[in-house]
Amino acid sequence: MAKPDKVAAVAEIAESFRSSSATVVTEYTGLSVTQLSQLRRALGTSAKYRVAKNTLVKRAAEDAGLEGIEDLFVGPTAIAFVHGEAVDAAKALRDFAKDNNALVIKGGYMDGKSLSVDEITKIADLDSREVLLSKAAGAFKAKLSQAAALFQAPASQVARLAAALEEKQRNATGTEAAEAPAES
């Protein structure tokens, strides 16, 4: 018979799996409580980092419909449930793991598919959503400026042509006026 506290823990973890945009499974052996607190601060509001028992996490993953990540739940396991940008959380975990060898990224889950460590590293290497939107806006602005210059070019060419014709007429009229008194 299942204990009510374990049933509640499985339900809570399953809900975390369902509501998160991505999850990253890590091994935290050798990290102190202070280091875990630093990691949680590094993740900020983009992810919730939770230490859990493997048996409970396996049941919760099964309840949530996650497939292909059961092999990750071996040894001391902690999961980052990402509720914001997966890129931000992956960067925070990768950078923390570089500074603290005790944190090992095992894999993850996103968009109905399990992720390898290499895939999580590739996600961490991506630019954040804000940076990508800024780049796109800059590219659109540059293209609009080019289009405006292109549309303005014929009008300025017409204006230069009209000025040149006017100057030519003035010169022709001035030349005729200068030649007319000489004939009298």
Side-chain angles (χ1 to χ4, degrees):
M1 180 179 235
K3 293 184 180 178
D5 58 335
K6 289 185 178 182
V7 171
V10 168
E12 182 183 340
I13 296 168
E15 182 54 34
S16 293
F17 275 124
R18 283 187 209 99
S19 66
S20 62
S21 58
T23 57
V24 180
V25 180
T26 64
E27 183 176 324
Y28 63 95
T29 304
L31 289 178
S32 67
V33 173
T34 306
Q35 289 171 320
L36 285 173
S37 296
Q38 289 173 347
L39 175 57
R40 285 186 173 105
R41 274 194 301 275
L43 288 170
T45 58
S46 66
K48 184 176 88 173
Y49 194 70
R50 178 172 179 166
V51 175
K53 290 187 174 186
N54 290 329
T55 54
L56 299 179
V57 174
K58 284 179 184 178
R59 286 189 186 128
E62 186 178 311
D63 289 351
L66 276 67
E67 296 176 2
I69 62 170
E70 302 83 22
D71 298 341
L72 302 177
F73 306 124
V74 177
T77 302
I79 304 167
F81 294 102
V82 181
H83 296 288
E85 287 292 318
V87 173
D88 296 337
K91 280 183 187 188
L93 287 166
R94 178 199 60 196
D95 295 345
F96 191 85
K98 281 182 184 177
D99 296 337
N100 300 283
N101 293 335
L103 181 71
V104 177
I105 298 173
K106 295 179 176 181
Y109 195 83
M110 185 169 86
D111 294 334
K113 169 181 175 260
S114 62
L115 300 172
S116 68
V117 176
D118 290 336
E119 290 171 322
I120 292 171
T121 303
K122 286 178 185 176
I123 290 170
D125 291 338
L126 293 174
D127 288 330
S128 68
R129 182 176 189 268
E130 290 79 19
V131 171
L132 290 174
L133 287 174
S134 297
K135 286 181 179 180
F140 287 137
K141 183 179 177 188
K143 290 298 179 188
L144 287 175
S145 296
Q146 288 174 350
L150 182 65
F151 291 134
Q152 186 181 9
S156 64
Q157 287 175 346
V158 169
R160 284 194 302 271
L161 179 62
L165 286 173
E166 184 180 332
E167 182 68 29
K168 184 176 179 181
Q169 278 184 335
R170 250 189 269 133
N171 288 341
T173 313
T175 308
E176 289 174 9
E179 291 176 5
E183 292 178 10
S184 322

